[in-house]
Amino acid sequence: MPSKTRPNQEHFVAPLEETPLVAIDSVKTEGKPSNLWRDAWADVRKRPMFWISAALIVLVVIVALFPNWFTQVPPNNDCQLANSNGGPTAGHPLGFTKQGCDIYSRIIHGTSTSLSVGLIVTFLVAFLGIVFGAFSGFYGGWIDSVLSRIGDIFFSIPYILAAVVVMSVMSKYASVWVISLAIGLFAWPSTARVLRAEILRVKNSDFVMAATALGVSKFRILLRHVLPNSIAPVIVITTLSLAAAIVAEASLSFLGVGLPSTTMSWGNDISAAQNDLRQAPQTLILPSIALSITVLSFIMLGEVIRDALDPKARAQR
C-alpha cells in the first residue's frame, strides 16, 4: 500500500527580539509595595460614607474641645424660670429647658462629657482586650486557660448591669472617671476574644516561624510581627465600642445612676426632660438627636473600616 506523503509544513518561531523574556518575567518595582493598610486607605477614601462620618466626628471633637466657639451663653448660670420650656428666641435658637436654661448651650457643653466618657472607656477596653487577648492567644497553655477563664467570667456579666451596680455603690464619687471605669472594666472581653482568635491564626504564619528560627524572643515576635498583623479587627471593634460607651453613659444617666445632675451631659438632659415630653418635646428630642448623630457617625466609620480591612468584602463590591 503506497504511503501517503505529507504536504510540506512550515514552522514559524517568533524572533527573540519581538518577545523579550525580560519584558514578560519582569516584576513591577515602581512605587511603594502594597499592604493591607495602604489598600484599606485606597478603598475608604473612595467611599462617601467615610468622609461624611469623618467630618461629623471632627465636628464633634471640635465642639467638645472648644465649646465657646459655638456659643457664648453660659449653660447653667443664665437660667431663668420665666423661660421654662420656652421656645426659640433671639440668641437662643433651640429654646429652653424646664429650668429655663438654654438647650443649645447645654448640648454644646455636654458634648465634652459624653465624648470624654467614650474615649476613656475605649482606651480601657482596647488596653485590657489587647493584653488579655494577645498573651492568651500567643503563649497558650496554662496562660491561655487562666486568662480565658477570667475573660469568660467578665463576659458572662452584662456590662450595663455591672455599671449600674458599681455606680449605685459609688454614687457619692460619681464622675466622668468613675463611670468610665465602671463601663470599661466589664466591656473588654469581646475585644480580647476577637484578638485571641486572630492571633491564633497569625502565629502559625511562615514569617513567625522564620523569626523563631532566627532566635528572636517570643515577646519580641509578639510585639513586632504577630500583634501588628492581628490588630485590624481590634481597630474596628474599638471604633464601635466608642459609640457603645457614649450610649452606655447616656443610659446610666437616664436611669439616674450615672453622672450627677450638676454635670452637663446628654443623658442627664434626656433624663430630666422625660416628664415634659408632651408639654415641651424639644427638651428631650434635641439632646437625643445630638446623641444619635454622634453615635451614628462612629458606627458608620466602624462599618467603613471593617469593610476596608476585609479583602473579601472589597472583592464583593
Side-chain angles (χ1 to χ4, degrees):
M1 185 174 180
S3 61
K4 295 182 179 180
T5 60
R6 294 182 180 180
N8 295 331
Q9 296 179 350
E10 297 183 5
H11 299 275
F12 295 93
V13 179
L16 184 62
E17 291 76 10
E18 294 183 8
T19 57
L21 296 178
V22 176
I24 297 175
D25 298 336
S26 63
V27 179
K28 184 178 179 181
T29 58
E30 295 84 3
K32 296 181 180 180
S34 179
N35 57 34
L36 176 64
W37 304 104
R38 191 169 289 110
D39 292 343
W41 169 243
D43 180 72
V44 299
R45 66 183 181 183
K46 299 177 182 178
R47 304 185 62 182
M49 186 181 295
F50 168 75
W51 295 109
I52 294 173
S53 60
L56 291 174
I57 291 172
V58 170
L59 177 61
V60 170
V61 172
I62 293 175
V63 170
L65 294 176
F66 309 102
N68 292 328
W69 288 5
F70 299 89
T71 179
Q72 301 297 324
V73 178
N76 286 328
N77 299 333
D78 196 31
C79 302
Q80 299 179 7
L81 289 177
N83 298 323
S84 179
N85 290 334
T89 61
H92 306 280
L94 300 182
F96 301 88
T97 66
K98 188 173 184 178
Q99 300 298 324
C101 302
D102 184 79
I103 295 177
Y104 174 72
S105 179
R106 289 189 64 84
I107 291 176
I108 293 297
H109 286 272
T111 306
S112 59
T113 301
S114 299
L115 190 61
S116 297
V117 172
L119 291 175
I120 295 172
V121 170
T122 300
F123 175 80
L124 187 60
V125 167
F127 176 76
L128 292 176
I130 290 174
V131 170
F132 276 77
F135 282 89
S136 176
F138 185 74
Y139 287 99
W142 67 270
I143 297 178
D144 183 22
S145 300
V146 172
L147 296 182
S148 296
R149 298 297 78 76
I150 295 175
D152 292 340
I153 293 173
F154 280 86
F155 192 79
S156 65
I157 305 173
Y159 69 89
I160 289 291
L161 179 60
V164 169
V165 175
V166 172
M167 293 305 298
S168 299
V169 175
M170 304 288 292
S171 58
K172 294 182 180 180
Y173 309 98
S175 65
V176 170
W177 286 100
V178 173
I179 194 173
S180 300
L181 291 174
I183 298 172
L185 288 176
F186 294 90
W188 58 267
S190 58
T191 303
R193 283 190 168 192
V194 171
L195 182 61
R196 176 182 178 273
E198 191 68 11
I199 285 182
L200 287 175
R201 181 187 66 85
V202 173
K203 76 174 185 178
N204 294 322
S205 302
D206 293 339
F207 61 87
V208 176
M209 291 188 289
T212 304
L214 291 174
V216 182
S217 64
K218 284 190 174 182
F219 186 70
R220 189 177 179 85
I221 292 175
L222 174 62
L223 292 182
R224 294 290 300 274
H225 301 285
V226 177
L227 193 57
N229 289 279
S230 308
I231 204 68
V234 176
I235 295 177
V236 177
I237 295 177
T238 299
T239 307
L240 298 176
S241 65
L242 198 153
I246 295 176
V247 174
E249 180 274 323
S251 301
L252 294 174
S253 298
F254 181 81
L255 295 174
V257 293
L259 297 172
S261 57
T262 55
T263 302
M264 281 177 298
S265 73
W266 296 333
N268 277 339
D269 288 348
I270 295 171
S271 178
Q274 59 180 319
N275 295 326
D276 299 320
L277 180 59
R278 293 185 178 181
Q279 294 80 9
Q282 75 277 4
T283 58
L284 185 145
I285 293 175
L286 294 176
S288 300
I289 292 175
L291 175 66
S292 300
I293 291 176
T294 303
V295 172
L296 181 61
S297 300
F298 284 103
I299 291 177
M300 290 169 55
L301 182 63
E303 293 288 339
V304 172
I305 294 176
R306 183 193 64 184
D307 293 343
L309 293 176
D310 186 0
K312 294 182 180 179
R314 290 203 305 267
Q316 293 175 356
R317 290 201 303 270

